[in-house]
Amino acid sequence: EKKNKTGPDRKINRPPLLARVNLLNLQELSKIPLKELRICLVRVDSGGRETFIASEIEQKTMPLNAINIKNSATEVIQACKGANIKSKFRESYLLPAFSVKPILSTETPIPREKLNPPTPSIYLESKRDAFSPVLLQFCTDPKNAVTVIRGLAGSLRLNLGLFSTKSLVEANSEHAVEVRTQVQQPADENWNHSGSAQTWPCESSRSHTTIAKYAQYQASSFQESLQVEIVTMSASVGSEINSISRLTGVTSNSEQKTIGKIIKFGTNIDLSDPKRWKLQLQELLKLPAFMRVSSSANMLSHVGQTILGMNTVQLYMKVPGSRTPGHQENNNFCSVNINIGPGDCEWFAVHEQYWKAISDLCEKHTVDYLTGSWWPVLEDLYRSNIPVYRFIQRPGDLVWINAGTVHWVQAVGWCNNIAWNVGPLNAYQYQLALERFEWNEFKKVKSIVPMIHVSWNVARTIKITDPNTFKMIKHCLLQSIKHIQILRDQLVSAGKKISYQSRVKDEPAYYCNECDVEVFNLLFVTSENSSRKTYVVHCEDCAREQSPSLSGVVVLEQYRISELMNTYDNFTLVRQTFIRTHITCENVTCSNILFDFSFFFIRQKGFIFSILEFIIL
């Protein structure tokens, strides 16, 4: 291994594990399953003398379908071996007949006035409010699709000026920016190319520029707008264009919508480099732990690799009309979005419960829900009995998108936004992430988050106190062991050599080179170019498509089964211990408080509700 790391191979850019593969010199594991005959010595009396006889003990193996998370890893392995499965083993990683999703009635017709429900908006008054445990509880409540936290930047004294266009140019003017060229339209409309009808597809072309060049475009766009304001005081883009058309003698077809002007949206600007963006990233450490880019209770901090835009910060530079089309976050993870300003953004959001109905509408309008670009027509949603949250995000506001929420965003003014994903360790988030992981595999779409890899990492490093979260993760580990052991037994019985190649620090998770499914532990490796010594990873199915007998395929094992068994057995539910406190509240002494009270406002359409929550044991 040391020779490979320091020799000529170091010049070749390839994944860490594959760089260490030597197809001609691999440690072969046993091709023959190890068997054990258990013997019990039984004491007997014979002619006044004590003696012993050997008695075989019949191994009692539980049937595989009776195995559950209460069984030990040894019992799981024995059941797998006893099942002697010859065909492809396929079982879900999800705990069957178990769900923590809220029960929302989607069949009962919703009155039109309730199809645009008020958006929960929390007004923070102090830093203490921001760090309240009740804030975490409210944001992650499965019933709350989205939460707007007003005045967060002020209460935490965040210096959002570090993310202003001026500061970005001064910090790194040549940094890359992905540009999306779009047509400017009102936020609640999406017209086709001819302007004859509203539609769902939301097309844009992609190009690239630098922060400095986009900053120039952003500034010139603002100057042009000021000049237009001199001609007309109308706020709508359509009336501006019609006014200009009348002044120039150009008339438009009253039966068709005039197409808006072409705009450019600066998106997916990577702020992950801690050296280039040190001041910016340090400022975000002022946020509460559950909102931070990295924290111990964030599943995305246990991936073991960088996922750009998910466990790193991304920046968006906008002019009015810049659109982020409809989507759910990768693997249904939560997201945090802060408006830097100076302009506003308009948001639309729908609870996760309705994602399949929206997916069906996408299919009806010939656009792919998972991989396509679409902008919902609000009337279509309302006719389908789908309620839509609609709200304005002002400078300094933080938008918390809960797990699985469908959302789309349009800039009202000139502004910058920063965003990233978080994965709270709760049952709702884990269930939705794993559901999307399996749906992606069914739809042959890559899961950006390697959920099996993450689940094992969480089991190794985190103590889980919530019973539902524990049951779901433990079941996923159980299913993972079953998949691995059955596949391993099948390979060994077929005479296929399995070679152990342990993982190294910061080694990424692997995906199949053909179908993009996550490949955990047992990797099927082939040589892409023998002269250049480049190798690629496949899943079993794709490897057998190339070679049914797996001839020319090297099978690598990254964890010994004993390692996984130890992790599985040591992953247990931890009883939560609470610190008892003593506080005085309005002349009433309250002993044995579970946690200190938290106080903040939730404002919905003019109504203010105060939350004063504490639990007395």
Side-chain angles (χ1 to χ4, degrees):
E1 288 184 12
K2 291 183 179 179
K3 183 176 179 181
N4 287 341
K5 290 178 182 176
T6 57
D9 287 351
R10 187 175 181 180
K11 298 179 182 178
I12 300 175
N13 184 18
R14 55 178 180 260
L17 178 137
L18 302 184
R20 298 179 285 118
V21 174
N22 184 340
L23 298 180
L24 300 178
N25 183 23
L26 289 167
Q27 178 186 356
E28 183 175 350
L29 301 178
S30 174
K31 294 181 181 179
I32 303 173
L34 299 177
K35 296 182 179 181
E36 182 182 84
L37 178 64
R38 297 185 65 184
I39 302 294
C40 179
L41 297 179
V42 181
R43 187 174 61 184
V44 296
D45 290 328
S46 177
R49 293 187 308 163
E50 285 190 351
T51 185
F52 293 87
I53 60 172
S55 173
E56 295 183 13
I57 298 178
E58 181 182 357
Q59 291 275 57
K60 291 186 177 180
T61 303
M62 291 183 65
L64 191 58
N65 59 8
I67 292 289
N68 57 52
I69 61 174
K70 294 180 180 179
N71 295 106
S72 68
T74 300
E75 291 171 327
V76 176
I77 297 299
Q78 289 175 350
C80 291
K81 291 181 177 294
N84 195 28
I85 296 174
K86 302 297 183 182
S87 58
K88 177 72 176 181
F89 180 73
R90 297 185 186 276
E91 279 189 1
S92 172
Y93 291 93
L94 288 161
L95 190 59
F98 182 80
S99 175
V100 294
K101 291 184 181 181
I103 300 175
L104 302 177
S105 175
T106 57
E107 302 298 328
T108 305
I110 302 174
R112 179 59 186 255
E113 64 272 13
K114 293 186 178 181
L115 287 172
N116 185 213
T119 304
S121 299
I122 296 180
Y123 287 74
L124 298 180
E125 295 188 337
S126 67
K127 182 178 179 179
R128 178 185 178 85
D129 295 342
F131 284 83
S132 160
V134 183
L135 181 59
L136 165 62
Q137 179 183 340
F138 186 88
C139 288
T140 57
D141 188 323
K143 295 189 293 294
N144 297 328
V146 58
T147 304
V148 187
I149 303 176
R150 306 288 189 188
L152 178 80
S155 62
L156 296 180
R157 297 187 178 181
L158 287 175
N159 181 9
L160 298 185
L162 291 170
F163 300 92
S164 68
T165 299
K166 181 176 180 292
S167 296
L168 296 170
V169 171
E170 291 173 351
N172 198 352
S173 62
E174 296 304 306
H175 197 61
V177 177
E178 178 184 325
V179 175
R180 288 286 178 173
T181 302
Q182 302 173 332
V183 177
Q184 190 181 57
Q185 303 185 68
D188 55 358
E189 298 177 7
N190 189 51
W191 295 86
N192 59 18
H193 291 299
S194 63
S196 59
Q198 291 206 57
T199 185
W200 279 58
C202 179
E203 298 176 359
S204 64
S205 60
R206 183 169 65 174
S207 59
H208 294 85
T209 187
T210 63
I211 285 180
K213 290 180 180 179
Y214 189 85
Q216 292 175 351
Y217 165 75
Q218 202 177 37
S220 63
S221 169
F222 182 72
Q223 292 295 329
E224 289 174 10
S225 176
L226 291 179
Q227 294 173 6
V228 171
E229 286 293 330
I230 296 173
V231 178
T232 173
M233 298 302 293
S234 174
S236 75
V237 175
S239 61
E240 285 178 8
I241 294 174
N242 289 334
S243 297
I244 295 172
S245 298
R246 286 193 295 271
L247 288 173
T248 56
V250 177
T251 59
S252 62
N253 185 346
S254 60
E255 294 182 359
Q256 288 191 329
K257 181 75 174 180
T258 305
I259 301 301
K261 68 178 182 180
I262 301 300
I263 58 171
K264 297 182 183 297
F265 170 25
T267 183
N268 297 337
I269 304 167
D270 174 28
L271 302 189
S272 64
D273 192 328
K275 293 181 179 178
R276 290 182 175 182
W277 308 105
K278 181 179 179 180
L279 294 177
Q280 286 77 7
L281 298 179
Q282 282 183 341
E283 194 67 16
L284 297 180
L285 295 177
K286 294 179 181 179
L287 291 168
F290 79 95
M291 295 179 181
R292 291 177 197 159
V293 181
S294 178
S295 71
S296 60
N298 180 357
M299 275 188 277
L300 295 176
S301 297
H302 300 280
V303 179
Q305 66 193 65
T306 296
I307 305 178
L308 293 178
M310 292 203 69
N311 55 14
T312 67
V313 180
Q314 280 192 334
L315 171 79
Y316 305 88
M317 303 176 73
K318 304 177 181 181
V319 297
S322 297
R323 286 183 165 181
T324 299
H327 66 288
Q328 289 173 292
E329 296 295 317
N330 289 322
N331 284 96
N332 283 335
F333 276 88
C334 299
S335 74
V336 171
N337 186 296
I338 301 176
N339 185 7
I340 306 303
D344 298 339
C345 286
E346 184 166 10
W347 288 67
F348 302 83
V350 175
H351 194 278
E352 184 273 343
Q353 195 85 8
Y354 299 93
W355 80 265
K356 191 62 173 65
I358 296 179
S359 176
D360 293 340
L361 286 169
C362 282
E363 185 177 348
K364 178 181 177 181
H365 289 87
T366 66
V367 60
D368 188 272
Y369 177 79
L370 292 177
T371 61
S373 179
W374 42 272
W375 190 267
V377 176
L378 290 180
E379 284 302 318
D380 291 344
L381 298 180
Y382 296 150
R383 279 193 294 268
S384 300
N385 206 39
I386 299 174
V388 181
Y389 294 96
R390 184 175 182 177
F391 59 93
I392 295 295
Q393 178 194 28
R394 303 181 185 93
D397 289 349
L398 182 147
V399 173
W400 173 275
I401 292 294
N402 208 2
T405 296
V406 186
H407 56 287
W408 53 104
V409 189
Q410 177 159 316
V412 177
W414 290 262
C415 61
N416 295 343
N417 289 68
I418 52 174
W420 58 92
N421 292 104
V422 289
L425 267 169
N426 60 56
Y428 183 63
Q429 172 66 90
Y430 187 80
Q431 178 182 342
L432 293 190
L434 205 54
E435 281 182 354
R436 184 48 50 90
F437 174 81
E438 296 200 340
W439 181 253
N440 284 345
E441 182 176 353
F442 175 74
K443 301 295 283 187
K444 300 189 182 304
V445 172
K446 182 176 182 178
S447 281
I448 304 301
V449 182
M451 284 304 298
I452 309 305
H453 179 80
V454 169
S455 298
W456 281 102
N457 284 351
V458 167
R460 291 187 193 95
T461 57
I462 300 296
K463 301 297 183 183
I464 303 295
T465 58
D466 175 62
N468 290 336
T469 308
F470 168 77
K471 284 191 287 189
M472 289 183 180
I473 298 176
K474 186 81 171 185
H475 183 78
C476 179
L477 304 185
L478 168 66
Q479 294 301 94
S480 179
I481 286 184
K482 287 161 65 175
H483 279 88
I484 291 167
Q485 184 60 45
I486 290 170
L487 175 56
R488 200 177 184 284
D489 288 343
Q490 290 173 346
L491 292 170
V492 169
S493 63
K496 185 63 184 177
K497 180 170 69 174
I498 301 176
S499 303
Y500 176 71
Q501 187 75 57
S502 64
R503 291 179 60 85
V504 297
K505 184 180 179 182
D506 298 328
E507 186 171 350
Y510 288 96
Y511 292 85
C512 176
N513 190 62
E514 276 71 42
C515 69
D516 278 332
V517 69
E518 180 186 354
V519 184
F520 179 77
N521 193 36
L522 292 175
L523 313 182
F524 295 78
V525 182
T526 60
S527 175
E528 190 177 51
N529 188 319
S530 57
S531 61
R532 295 173 56 191
K533 293 184 178 179
T534 56
Y535 310 105
V536 293
V537 169
H538 313 271
C539 66
E540 182 199 8
D541 289 347
C542 292
R544 290 193 183 276
E545 280 188 16
Q546 294 186 14
S547 174
S549 65
L550 297 180
S551 175
V553 177
V554 174
V555 181
L556 299 181
E557 185 175 49
Q558 295 199 289
Y559 298 98
R560 297 191 188 279
I561 198 67
S562 58
E563 296 178 62
L564 299 178
M565 291 171 68
N566 287 335
T567 300
Y568 178 84
D569 286 335
N570 291 330
F571 181 61
T572 56
L573 181 64
V574 178
R575 281 183 59 86
Q576 191 168 10
T577 57
F578 302 107
I579 299 175
R580 296 177 183 269
T581 63
H582 181 92
I583 66 171
T584 300
C585 179
E586 296 182 351
N587 299 322
V588 179
T589 301
C590 306
S591 300
N592 296 332
I593 302 300
L594 179 61
F595 50 75
D596 205 355
F597 70 83
S598 301
F599 185 81
F600 51 82
F601 294 110
I602 298 178
R603 179 173 295 168
Q604 293 187 350
K605 296 240 175 172
F607 295 97
I608 300 177
F609 303 92
S610 64
I611 294 181
L612 179 61
E613 181 163 332
F614 54 88
I615 300 175
I616 302 177
L617 298 181

